[in-house]
């Protein structure tokens, strides 16, 4: 994509976003469908704001509240203009120009009130007005800047963007006479001869404001679709003897519009190909570009390595020397220098320099892993700060927690943070060593250098340097399987190990116990003993 160059600011940019987009077959307005981590409208607004126009207006109608709210979120202060019942791109531009004129008049009145100068009687917008569709996502500021520069340098009344395609079916055709543009004809209104033209309209224009205003006042709806065509303004300007031009864009993708989901996917893939190529040219290693997806707002440092099957979304940032992937999906995650993130799904997390994550980790928002730390296999974290050099190696859930530096969390640990009403935090100090299969019932604190035994449920604070254990002494009930699970594979294995059918290798005490219990119809072993280790 081009870098924008210095160009005079247009008086206004109008983005047309009123259409329903019926061919999308979607309850979501067409301009709110996204590629590259940005809505179609978001791409259009990004290109438009790069021109630094005097005013920026978005024309809405279908799903008005959704589209308007999205536009205002992306560009605070954008003018939202409602199109009325009259259909067509020309009517949309006319509604926008009416609002822009009113804003210009109000601004002049304000200046007059400050004593600067009296407002012009007509109170109208003047200068260059750029009009573009909200569904042309690869259009960039550099291309728009070239349009405005050529328009103003040549003193044109109207300048359009066009391109040439092998199959122009469905597009408006650029009509020329001796090379000069005389108008645009839509597919439905074109003759057979005109349909053979391969130069198509890109629906991106620069107008002189007065020509646009006066031309729209003369345009009717005498066409196949009964709409007010913005393209008819070009023919109007030509009839006046004003200069009309079309700049041919050599790269058709830059002006390709989206009408259905197939086109959305095709343009999305092309956008991704360009993004990935740019990063490779900037010093990023992408092992398999075909399976790597990178959003437009992702930031990658040189010498980053991206392995196959990786998707980087949102405002993800990866620092020098880090490796991401394979099979990793991250959104709004920052990764420090030299870190490694393998087969991980994460969002809203920060990974420190030299840290390792995965495989098969799940990083939820609020996760912060310090330098040289570790979040290992089958570990889920949420709203957890894990200090430098600390490790959560495997099979654990760490939620609403603070872990100091150099601490090791044993396997199969769960930070029990929710009491059914509120979330509570667990704090584990630095240099601590917690055993496997621990439950930390928040709110609870484990001090610096403390230990906890395997299978411990930590319900009370553990002082620094202390050992916390709460497991009951183990007891073995010999012969239980032979008595209670006779005929099972376990009983057969036990018989073989104990020396035959009668269990001659049993201790005298065990044989006496078996004899005693055989005289009763029901032994007295508690059900909980039989289920020791179950997860009920």
């Amino acid at each position: 994509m081009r870098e924008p160059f210095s160009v005079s600011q247009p008086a206004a940019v109008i983005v047309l976003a009123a259409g329903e987009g019926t061919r999308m077959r979607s309850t979501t307005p067409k301009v709110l469908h996204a590629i590259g981590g940005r809505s179609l409208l978001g791409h259009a607004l990004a290109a438009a704001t790069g021109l630094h126009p005097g005013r920026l207006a978005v024309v809405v109608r279908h799903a008005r509240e959704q589209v308007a709210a999205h536009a205002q979120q992306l560009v605070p202060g954008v003018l939202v203009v409602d199109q009325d019942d009259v259909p067509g791109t020309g009517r949309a531009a006319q509604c926008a120009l009416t609002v822009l004129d009113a804003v210009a008049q109000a601004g002049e009145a304000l200046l007059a009130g400050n004593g600067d100068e009296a407002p012009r009687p007509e109170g109208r917008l003047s200068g260059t007005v750029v009009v573009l569709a909200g569904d042309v996502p690869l259009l960039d500021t550099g291309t728009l800047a070239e349009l405005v520069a050529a328009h103003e340098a040549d003193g044109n009344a109207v300048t359009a963007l066009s391109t040439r395609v092998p199959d122009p079916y469905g597009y408006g055709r650029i009509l020329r006479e001796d090379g000069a543009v005389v108008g645009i004809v839509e597919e439905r209104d074109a003759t057979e001869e005109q349909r053979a033209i391969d130069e198509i309209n890109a629906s991106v224009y620069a107008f002189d404001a007065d020509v646009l205003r006066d031309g729209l006042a003369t345009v009717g709806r005498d066409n196949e679709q009964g709409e007010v065509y913005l393209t008819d303004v070009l023919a109007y300007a030509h009839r006046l003897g004003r200069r009309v031009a079309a700049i041919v864009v050599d790269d058709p993708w830059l002006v390709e519009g989206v009408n259905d989901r197939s086109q959305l996917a095709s343009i999305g893939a092309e956008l991704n190909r360009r993004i990935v190529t740019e990063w490779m040219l900037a010093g990023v290693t992408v092992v398999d570009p075909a399976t790597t997806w990178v959003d437009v707002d992702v930031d990658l440092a040189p010498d980053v390595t991206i392995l196959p099957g990786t998707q980087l979304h949102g405002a993800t940032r990866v620092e020098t020397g880090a490796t991401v992937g394979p099979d990793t999906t991250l959104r709004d995650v920052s990764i420090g220098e030299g870190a490694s993130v393998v087969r991980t799904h994460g969002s809203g997390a920060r990974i420190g320099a030299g840290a390792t994550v995965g495989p098969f980790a799940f990083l939820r928002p609020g996760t912060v892993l310090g330098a040289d730390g570790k979040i290992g296999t089958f570990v889920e974290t949420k709203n957890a700060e894990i200090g430098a050099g600390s490790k959560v190696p495997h099979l654990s859930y760490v939620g609403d927690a603070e872990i100091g530096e150099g601490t090791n969390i044993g396997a199969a640990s769960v930070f029990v943070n929710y009491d059914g009403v509120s979330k509570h935090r667990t704090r584990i100090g630095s240099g601590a060593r917690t055993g496997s299969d621990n439950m930390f019932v928040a709110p609870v604190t484990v001090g610096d250098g403390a230990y906890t035994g395997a299978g411990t449920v930590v319900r009370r604070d553990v002082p620094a340097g202390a050992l916390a254990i709460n497991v009951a002494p183990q007891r073995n009930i010999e012969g239980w399987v032979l008595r209670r699970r006779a005929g099972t594979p376990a009983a057969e294995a036990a018989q073989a190990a104990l020396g035959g059918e009668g269990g001659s290798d049993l201790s005298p005490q065990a044989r006496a116990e078996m004899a005693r219990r055989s005289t009763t119809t029901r032994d007295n072993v508690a059900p909980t003993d039989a289920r020791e280790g179950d997860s009920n």
Side-chain angles (χ1 to χ4, degrees):
M1 298 180 186
R2 301 176 181 86
E3 291 295 328
F5 53 84
S6 177
V7 64
S8 60
Q9 298 175 352
V13 175
I14 299 171
V15 179
L16 307 182
E20 183 176 357
T22 55
R23 280 181 280 177
M24 296 295 288
R25 302 282 195 269
S26 176
T27 56
T28 300
K30 178 174 72 170
V31 295
L32 299 191
H33 284 264
I35 60 173
R38 207 180 266 174
S39 67
L40 300 182
L41 180 57
H43 286 286
L45 291 175
T49 55
L51 291 176
H52 305 291
R55 293 287 179 181
L56 176 60
V58 175
V59 184
V60 299
R61 178 169 170 75
H62 175 70
R64 184 222 184 267
E65 298 303 324
Q66 283 181 267
V67 177
H70 183 67
Q72 291 170 328
Q73 179 184 18
L74 294 175
V75 184
V78 66
L79 293 174
V80 176
V81 177
D82 291 294
Q83 184 173 353
D84 55 22
D85 293 335
V86 180
T89 54
R91 183 57 178 173
Q94 192 172 37
C95 291
L97 197 56
T98 300
V99 172
L100 289 166
D101 282 343
V103 171
Q105 186 175 33
E108 290 175 354
L110 181 62
L111 288 175
N114 291 334
D116 291 341
E117 63 175 81
R120 291 183 295 144
E122 66 274 15
R124 301 194 305 185
L125 185 75
S126 62
T128 299
V129 177
V130 175
V131 181
L132 63 136
D135 60 358
V136 185
L138 267 60
L139 182 66
D140 59 339
T141 298
T143 302
L144 289 177
E146 291 178 7
L147 171 68
V148 173
H151 174 79
E152 296 183 349
D154 295 340
N156 296 338
V158 186
T159 309
L161 289 183
S162 69
T163 192
R164 297 186 185 276
V165 295
D167 181 9
Y169 177 79
Y171 295 97
R173 311 301 204 278
I174 301 293
L175 304 181
R176 295 181 183 266
E177 292 180 0
D178 298 325
V181 176
V182 299
I184 298 174
V185 62
E186 298 300 323
E187 171 78 27
R188 294 186 180 184
D189 303 303
T191 65
E192 287 301 317
E193 182 181 5
Q194 290 169 336
R195 287 173 181 160
I197 298 171
D198 67 353
E199 184 182 1
I200 63 170
N201 176 34
S203 300
V204 182
Y205 316 90
F207 293 96
D208 175 82
D210 291 331
V211 171
L212 178 61
R213 183 183 299 106
D214 296 342
L216 288 172
T218 69
V219 171
R221 299 169 58 183
D222 185 19
N223 52 63
E224 179 70 20
Q225 299 187 81
E227 297 182 357
V228 179
Y229 287 158
L230 181 60
T231 51
D232 287 348
V233 176
L234 280 75
Y236 164 81
H238 175 71
R239 290 195 300 270
L240 292 181
R242 299 292 300 274
R243 181 179 172 86
V244 179
I247 299 174
V248 179
V249 177
D250 294 331
D251 182 359
W253 283 110
L254 291 178
V255 290
E256 180 79 11
V258 173
N259 291 303
D260 56 40
R261 296 187 196 238
S262 176
Q263 289 176 318
L264 182 74
S266 296
I267 296 176
E270 176 61 19
L271 173 61
N272 186 71
R273 186 193 68 78
R274 294 176 182 227
I275 292 170
V276 171
T277 297
E278 286 185 358
W279 283 121
M280 289 191 291
L281 294 175
V284 174
T285 295
V286 179
V287 174
D288 185 10
T291 63
T292 300
W293 290 78
V294 181
D295 282 356
V296 292
D297 291 324
V298 169
D299 191 10
L300 305 176
D303 288 324
V304 163
T305 298
I306 308 297
L307 299 179
T310 294
Q311 298 90 42
L312 303 179
H313 300 301
T316 293
R317 162 75 184 173
V318 186
E319 300 290 351
T320 299
T323 299
V324 183
D327 307 323
T328 293
T329 301
L330 304 177
R331 180 178 297 277
D332 302 327
V333 173
S334 65
I335 301 173
E337 292 187 12
S340 173
V341 181
V342 180
R343 288 192 169 87
T344 292
H345 189 104
S347 62
R350 300 204 313 269
I351 310 302
T356 61
V357 178
F360 310 114
F362 181 25
L363 311 181
R364 293 167 60 188
T367 295
V368 179
L369 178 61
D372 300 314
K374 179 176 181 178
I375 294 175
T377 307
F378 299 113
V379 173
E380 178 181 348
T381 59
K382 187 269 297 183
N383 196 23
E385 299 178 17
I386 302 169
S390 288
K391 300 178 181 180
V392 187
H394 31 226
L395 303 168
S396 297
Y397 169 70
V398 181
D400 296 291
E402 298 171 21
I403 300 173
E405 298 182 358
T407 286
N408 188 86
I409 304 299
S413 293
V414 175
F415 287 59
V416 186
N417 57 335
Y418 185 50
D419 63 7
V421 178
S422 303
K423 298 290 183 69
H424 303 279
R425 292 188 71 77
T426 294
R427 293 175 173 82
I428 297 181
S430 297
R433 298 290 183 269
T434 69
S436 297
D437 195 28
N438 276 196
M439 301 284 165
F440 300 96
V441 183
V444 71
T445 297
V446 177
D448 292 349
Y451 274 59
T452 61
T456 298
V457 178
V458 181
R459 299 180 182 274
R460 296 182 297 170
D461 291 352
V462 180
L467 168 64
I469 56 172
N470 58 18
V471 293
Q474 176 177 318
R475 66 186 180 112
N476 299 329
I477 303 173
E478 296 191 57
W480 184 89
V481 172
L482 297 178
R483 296 190 308 275
R484 297 296 301 273
R485 298 293 185 264
T488 65
E492 293 173 1
Q495 279 186 335
L498 294 172
E501 184 175 351
S504 59
D505 284 354
L506 291 176
S507 66
Q509 295 87 347
R511 285 197 297 270
E513 177 68 11
M514 289 181 65
R516 184 184 69 80
R517 290 183 178 273
S518 66
T519 62
T520 65
T521 58
R522 178 186 180 92
D523 68 36
N524 296 318
V525 176
T528 53
D529 293 329
R531 294 195 305 266
E532 187 175 355
D534 283 0
S535 58
N536 293 9

